[in-house]
Every structure is written in structure tokens, then in C-alpha cells.
Amino acid sequence: MTRRPLVAGNWKMHGLRASLAEIEAMGVDYDAALRGRAELVVCPPATLVALARDIAVRAGLGLGAQDCHAEASGAHTGDISAEMLRDAGAAYVIVGHSERRADHGETNADVEAKAAAALRAGLAPIICVGETRAEREAGEALAVVAAQIEGSLPSDAPAQIVVAYEPVWAIGTGLTPTPQDVADMHAFARARIEARLGGGKGAHIRILYGGSVKPANARELLSVPNVDGALVGGASLGARDFMGVAAAYR
Ligand SMILES: O=C[C@H](O)COP(=O)(O)O
């Protein structure tokens, strides 16, 4: 099964208009050889999505957003719908990131509704799952991820969805699981995705690893079986590091 690797950059709450120059710079290194091997996507804050559209197109990168509301429109002050993101130029949207689950109390049901909204709007959701340190230490990592997959993926989701496994304790900490731990979790996640969606989709869906991915560890992490790319936080803010991560596919 050939799955096109995807390296997605999640800028989180970072970036002003001046940061758009980084997307332009990413394009300089994103040559035909690398384009042939991996898809690159950048997910800036919502304020920059529309402004980034033409720049990303010129650079050859895809564009994503970081969250969406479950409804297409309505009286939801401060929220942004998947339709609006699509209109602004996004093709992807991250849903269920652990920071939204923690900061905004998003449940698996909320994440499923957002993923469904993304699909309705024509966006590919990047659905995040992952255990906390306490859950891993309690031996519950597999059960937590299984429950998140079962609860957060729309049961009729197509193979275009992306799943990102991000152990919460590895996000922004410089810590990473061992390659064997990543291999075990990704194989497990693929089996659970197939159990959830059926129809042979599990083999087609890309499962990204996220959590302290950097140029120095990208090659090792991205060569693990069933790792189809990365969801990169801190190292995606600058072209040099982001392209250093993507270079794992050269
Ligand atoms: O969405 C990205 C992840 O939360 C990873 O963040 P990080 O690469 O800064 O650890």
C-alpha cells in the first residue's frame, strides 16, 4: 500500500503577516524531487489563512487551518466554520488537537462533529489523538487512543481523512517515544481505524506522528512503519527547520 507522506506544520497561536515570508521560503526548498515524494501543508492561525492562499499556491504547499466549528454558520461569536476556511483557501483542518481538548474541553463527540463538518465542506480533517503522560504511566495509552479513534472519527469517513498520533507528553517538550513505541502505536491505530471505518480504508489512511519532531530526529521517526508523515509544531514556524524535517523524504 502506497500512501503519499504528508508533513503538516501547525503554527498554533504564532504568526503575524510577516511570517508569511516563511511559507515563501519553504517553497524555495520544495523542489520537484521532494514534491514527488511528500506533500507539505502549513496550518497558520485563522487570521493568516486567506492571506497565505496565493503564497502557498506559488510555493507548492497545501494550506490548512487549526480548528473549525461543527456548524456551517450561525450565532457562534468568535467561531469559524469549515465552509469559511474552505472559502479562505484551506484544504485541510486540524481537529481535536490535545490543546483544544484540554483548553476548550472538547470531547470525542465534539471532535467527531467537527471532522464531519470538515468533510461536508470539502476539507480533509487531520484528527488528533494521543495519551497524556499519566495515561501512559498507568498503562492506558492503547485504550485511550482506541477510545479516541472510536469516538472522534465519523463512522462514514472516507480514506481522505488523516489521523495524527500525538502523545501529549511529547508535545513541545523535546521528548519523543522510542521508534518501537511509535511503531506499536501506529500499527495499533491502523487496526482500530479499520475496525471503526471498515471497507478496507485503514490501509489508505495516513497516520502522522506528532510531538517534538525536528530535523535531527525526523529521519528516524518518519522511517517507522505505519508513520505516514508528521504533524510538526515548533519546528514548522521557520522554513529552515520545517524543510529540514521534510528532508527526511529526500
Ligand atoms: O500539532 C503539533 C504538535 O502539537 C507538536 O508540537 P511540537 O512539534 O512543538 O512538539
Side-chain angles (χ1 to χ4, degrees), residues 97-233:
H97 191 282
S98 59
E99 287 151 13
R100 292 211 59 89
R101 291 178 187 260
D103 295 353
H104 300 272
E106 291 186 6
T107 64
N108 287 332
D110 294 330
V111 177
E112 181 187 13
K114 289 177 180 219
L119 289 164
R120 276 200 309 273
L123 300 180
I126 300 173
I127 304 170
C128 300
V129 300
E131 83 285 355
T132 63
R133 175 187 295 277
E135 289 163 344
R136 176 157 284 260
E137 285 173 357
E140 295 167 357
L142 295 178
V144 166
V145 169
Q148 289 175 331
I149 288 172
E150 177 70 21
S152 306
L153 273 57
S155 60
D156 58 352
Q160 285 71 34
I161 67 164
V162 177
V163 174
Y165 167 61
E166 298 205 316
V168 177
W169 51 272
I171 295 174
T173 60
L175 302 172
T176 56
T178 65
Q180 189 57 53
D181 284 343
V182 174
D184 291 347
M185 183 59 89
H186 279 237
F188 175 78
R190 191 169 300 290
R192 300 315 305 166
I193 292 167
E194 183 59 35
R196 172 71 173 155
L197 303 183
K201 290 178 200 164
H204 298 273
I205 288 173
R206 292 176 290 185
I207 307 176
L208 312 183
Y209 167 78
S212 296
V213 178
K214 298 176 172 37
N217 62 18
R219 201 170 285 276
E220 182 178 44
L221 289 165
L222 296 177
S223 63
V224 170
N226 281 305
V227 173
D228 306 310
L231 183 55
V232 185

Side-chain angles (χ1 to χ4, degrees), residues 65-71 79-86 92-96 100 106 110-111 113-119 121 123 125:
Q66 300 174 15
D67 177 50
C68 66
H69 194 276
E71 292 176 26
D79 281 317
I80 298 175
S81 73
E83 282 74 5
M84 292 168 176
L85 296 170
R86 175 81 195 261
Y92 288 89
V93 62
I94 298 166
V95 293
R100 292 211 59 89
E106 291 186 6
D110 294 330
V111 177
K114 289 177 180 219
L119 289 164
L123 300 180

